[in-house]
Amino acid sequence: MAAMNSDLGGLGGRPATSQANPFESALYGAGPGLIRSGLGAYGEKFLGSSSEFMQSNITQYLSNPQYYFQVNSQYVRNKLKVILFPFLHRGHWTRITEPVGGRLSYKPPIQDINAPDLYIPLMAFGTYVVIAGYALGVLGRFTPEALTLQFTKGLLGWFLQIILIRVLLYTLGSGEAPLLDIVAYAGYGFAGTSLAMLVRVFWSPSYYFVLPWFSICTGVFLVKTMKRVLLGAPRSYERHPSRNHYFLLFLAVVQFPMLFWLGNISG
């Protein structure tokens, strides 16, 4: 009996062990590694696709900002001639392409007179604000509030031009033009407006002859640019030529009230 109790006691004193499940052991040992590798692969794929998506959209809508500042003095002189006197431009209006990384890419402004840039629009806008401040001083109406109003008017006019060109391109079937291209072309009008305002300071009556001329030149420049440079879908453009000509004519006509509004000194 004692021996039996001793055996029972021995059995009772040892912890009971259950038979290990081989599948559970395998999942327990390999599971974390598989999960980590699976999540890592999924994360890399997700981040990669997101990066490609963001990069493609940034390239499509914003492009490379540094591209628009690759200019020199010769380009600035020739570009201003094209903007202010487009009738004298005897060359083509299409942009020059070059193979880069297995695909075609547009040459920068320093190598292509028809390429858009942001240097001239920004400098022209700054000149516009400076001349407006000088004109306000000559008229005896200079105040910080008046200069701020003129600055705000300029930004609003620039924004309205961007919206107008964007809607026009979308209507003509070319809604994929980079946003900075449109910003550049919308800002070229400040070059003629600034010169007209400067002429007005020294000889007021000439303003009403100079500004209409620059309005015509800006309209012609934008029409030729929209028609031959920014239109990315020529088939859509050729499908309704008469309607599209009316839209381009509307863009040219709008430059008259737009530039007159921008050239009006408020204060």
Side-chain angles (χ1 to χ4, degrees):
M1 179 67 67
M4 185 178 296
N5 290 336
S6 135
D7 291 337
L8 290 174
L11 289 173
R14 290 194 302 269
T17 59
S18 60
Q19 186 177 0
N21 189 342
F23 296 101
E24 182 180 356
S25 300
L27 288 175
Y28 177 79
L34 288 174
I35 293 174
R36 284 194 298 270
S37 61
L39 290 177
Y42 177 78
E44 291 178 359
K45 182 178 180 181
F46 176 78
L47 291 176
S49 60
S50 300
S51 176
E52 293 176 359
F53 174 79
M54 292 295 295
Q55 185 175 2
S56 64
N57 279 272
I58 291 175
T59 302
Q60 177 180 356
Y61 295 108
L62 294 181
S63 189
N64 180 17
Q66 296 179 354
Y67 168 90
Y68 298 89
F69 293 94
Q70 298 182 35
V71 300
N72 56 14
S73 58
Q74 181 180 2
Y75 167 82
V76 172
R77 288 194 303 268
N78 293 334
K79 189 72 171 187
L80 287 175
K81 292 178 183 178
V82 175
I83 297 170
L84 301 177
F85 306 98
F87 303 102
L88 302 179
H89 183 55
R90 298 294 180 233
H92 58 81
W93 290 83
T94 56
R95 296 170 63 178
I96 303 174
T97 58
E98 60 180 351
V100 176
R103 61 185 182 88
L104 291 178
S105 178
Y106 289 119
K107 286 189 175 182
I110 195 173
Q111 301 177 8
D112 183 10
I113 189 62
N114 294 317
D117 72 282
L118 288 175
Y119 176 82
I120 292 178
L122 289 175
M123 292 298 103
F125 179 76
T127 304
Y128 165 81
V129 176
V130 171
I131 294 177
Y134 179 75
L136 288 170
V138 171
L139 297 174
R141 297 183 296 175
F142 180 83
T143 61
E145 292 77 12
L147 185 60
T148 302
L149 178 61
Q150 200 69 31
F151 176 83
T152 305
K153 179 192 288 189
L155 287 181
L156 179 60
W158 199 345
F159 177 75
L160 291 177
Q161 285 273 49
I162 293 171
I163 296 299
L164 176 62
I165 295 175
R166 189 70 175 179
V167 172
L168 175 70
L169 290 177
Y170 182 81
T171 304
L172 296 181
S174 180
E176 298 182 356
L179 177 60
L180 292 183
D181 278 21
I182 299 175
V183 172
Y185 286 116
Y188 285 134
F190 287 106
T193 306
S194 300
L195 288 178
M197 292 170 59
L198 184 61
V199 169
R200 186 180 189 179
V201 171
F202 297 101
W203 189 28
S204 180
S206 64
Y207 172 79
Y208 298 98
F209 297 96
V210 175
L211 189 60
W213 165 259
F214 286 136
S215 298
I216 294 174
C217 293
T218 302
V220 171
F221 171 79
L222 288 177
V223 167
K224 289 184 175 293
T225 299
M226 298 303 107
K227 187 177 180 179
R228 301 184 182 181
V229 179
L230 290 182
L231 295 182
R235 295 179 181 177
S236 175
Y237 178 79
E238 295 173 357
R239 193 176 303 144
H240 306 286
S242 59
R243 184 199 66 176
N244 298 329
H245 289 163
Y246 284 121
F247 278 112
L248 293 175
L249 180 61
F250 174 76
L251 175 64
V253 172
V254 166
Q255 301 310 308
F256 283 87
M258 178 67 72
L259 297 192
F260 268 96
W261 178 66
L262 290 175
N264 184 33
I265 304 296
S266 302

